[in-house]
Amino acid sequence: MRRFLSALGLMLLIGAAIALYAFAEARRDPAVRRADIALPRWPAGQPPVRVVLISDVHIGSLVSDATRLTRIVRQINALHPDLVLIAGDFIFGQRKDGAVLHGPAMIAPLKGLHARLGVIGVPGNHDHATGMPAVARDLAAAGVTLLEDKAIQIGPLVLGGVDDAASGHAHPIYTMAQMRILPGAPVLLTHSPEIASELAPDMPLLLAGHTHCGQVVLPLIGPIVEVSPARYRCGLVRDGSHTVIVTAGLGATGVPFRLGAPPDLWLLTLGPKPGA
């Protein structure tokens, strides 16, 4: 019995240590991933554009509050982006009044983002679940332009913002049709990467979040939960003529832990194809 209790105590200590580490991992500042992407239809004479991609703020969780978000905003500003893109899930949880409760805390931090071409966001499944009208109001107050199945021209880019596929709100075909009318290099922004299978040949780049890169990824086992096709779980994926970039995001959902999938953001340099 004494050996059993000793073994049980040791297991509890190890479990507690792992939980503390995973909580600290979820709270850490995001790692910066970098990529250079050449795009077709780049307007002649226009310089490259520095784009920061973030997602899954999940404000209101134990790991994502206004203080941490303010610190991350300073980190982003230090990268001197021309454009900041936010791939949805601003709010934590599933409560129908969650956006009203938690959303105001993100206004001041997001308002501090500095990018000459602006800050653009799309909705995520948690935003729809917690109250999209309230999310939209708070983002407007923070100076974030929200795209819901809409395309805009911004600098040398044509940016299509596709609403969330995970909650059944995405209309990528409609958004891509709008993009073809506008001059510039095409970029798609959405929350869930599962629309990658619907990309038309003339849409070379998709930016997304949602997966948290697995959030809790166990050695030899992999992620406890898979929310999108495994191929698009994390990072930069080449699909023939398409490039899909999935950020791990900033926050956490469900349990306040990350393990083997630290928070990250992407600094992308977008420019013309060689010889263009």
Side-chain angles (χ1 to χ4, degrees), residues 7-8 12 20 53 105 115 123 142 182 191 197-198 205 211 224 237 268:
L8 180 61
L12 290 174
L20 286 172
L53 170 68
L182 301 172
H191 180 57
S197 62
E198 301 180 58
L205 180 59
T211 68
I224 293 177
V237 181
L268 307 172

Side-chain angles (χ1 to χ4, degrees), residues 121-188:
V122 293
N125 56 301
H126 285 266
D127 304 321
H128 283 289
T130 57
M132 197 60 228
V135 175
R137 287 195 300 270
D138 289 340
L139 293 180
V144 178
T145 299
L146 185 66
L147 297 183
E148 300 173 84
D149 295 323
K150 185 178 179 182
I152 60 171
Q153 184 181 11
I154 184 162
L157 304 176
V158 174
L159 180 65
V162 180
D163 207 333
D164 174 57
S167 56
H169 292 84
H171 298 91
I173 293 175
Y174 174 70
T175 305
M176 289 187 287
Q178 293 181 65
M179 294 173 69
R180 294 186 184 99
I181 299 171
L182 301 172
V187 177
L188 278 160

Side-chain angles (χ1 to χ4, degrees), residues 189-217:
L189 174 69
T190 195
H191 180 57
S192 172
E194 65 190 66
I195 70 163
S197 62
E198 301 180 58
L199 291 181
D202 59 343
M203 297 293 156
L205 180 59
L206 174 66
L207 308 177
H210 181 56
T211 68
H212 299 198
C213 283
Q215 187 167 316
V216 177
V217 182

Side-chain angles (χ1 to χ4, degrees), residues 54 86 100 143 162 230:
I54 63 174
I86 309 176
V100 173
V162 180

Side-chain angles (χ1 to χ4, degrees), residues 12-218:
L12 290 174
L13 283 174
I14 293 172
I18 292 173
L20 286 172
Y21 174 84
F23 179 74
E25 183 83 336
R27 288 275 305 177
R28 65 174 279 190
D29 292 347
V32 179
R33 320 290 185 193
R34 299 171 188 262
D36 297 339
I37 308 290
L39 295 173
R41 293 170 47 190
W42 195 271
Q46 290 291 316
V49 173
R50 288 166 62 87
V51 176
V52 165
L53 170 68
I54 63 174
S55 76
D56 299 278
V57 174
H58 287 301
I59 196 74
S61 73
L62 290 175
V63 301
S64 189
D65 52 27
T67 299
R68 178 172 179 256
L69 185 55
T70 299
R71 188 172 69 244
I72 293 172
V73 165
R74 288 197 296 266
Q75 180 185 6
I76 292 170
N77 288 339
L79 297 172
H80 305 292
D82 298 308
L83 177 65
V84 176
L85 301 179
I86 309 176
D89 268 6
F90 295 88
I91 310 297
F92 171 75
Q94 300 284 344
R95 286 184 53 160
K96 291 183 179 181
D97 60 349
V100 173
L101 291 172
H102 304 307
M106 70 179 173
I107 295 175
L110 292 181
K111 201 170 185 177
L113 286 168
H114 301 306
R116 67 181 182 86
L117 296 178
V119 183
I120 313 290
V122 293
N125 56 301
H126 285 266
D127 304 321
H128 283 289
T130 57
M132 197 60 228
V135 175
R137 287 195 300 270
D138 289 340
L139 293 180
V144 178
T145 299
L146 185 66
L147 297 183
E148 300 173 84
D149 295 323
K150 185 178 179 182
I152 60 171
Q153 184 181 11
I154 184 162
L157 304 176
V158 174
L159 180 65
V162 180
D163 207 333
D164 174 57
S167 56
H169 292 84
H171 298 91
I173 293 175
Y174 174 70
T175 305
M176 289 187 287
Q178 293 181 65
M179 294 173 69
R180 294 186 184 99
I181 299 171
L182 301 172
V187 177
L188 278 160
L189 174 69
T190 195
H191 180 57
S192 172
E194 65 190 66
I195 70 163
S197 62
E198 301 180 58
L199 291 181
D202 59 343
M203 297 293 156
L205 180 59
L206 174 66
L207 308 177
H210 181 56
T211 68
H212 299 198
C213 283
Q215 187 167 316
V216 177
V217 182
L218 300 179

Side-chain angles (χ1 to χ4, degrees), residues 231-244:
R231 176 167 177 75
Y232 304 111
R233 181 188 306 147
C234 192
L236 190 153
V237 181
R238 302 284 188 184
D239 263 343
S241 62
H242 298 135
T243 298
V244 180

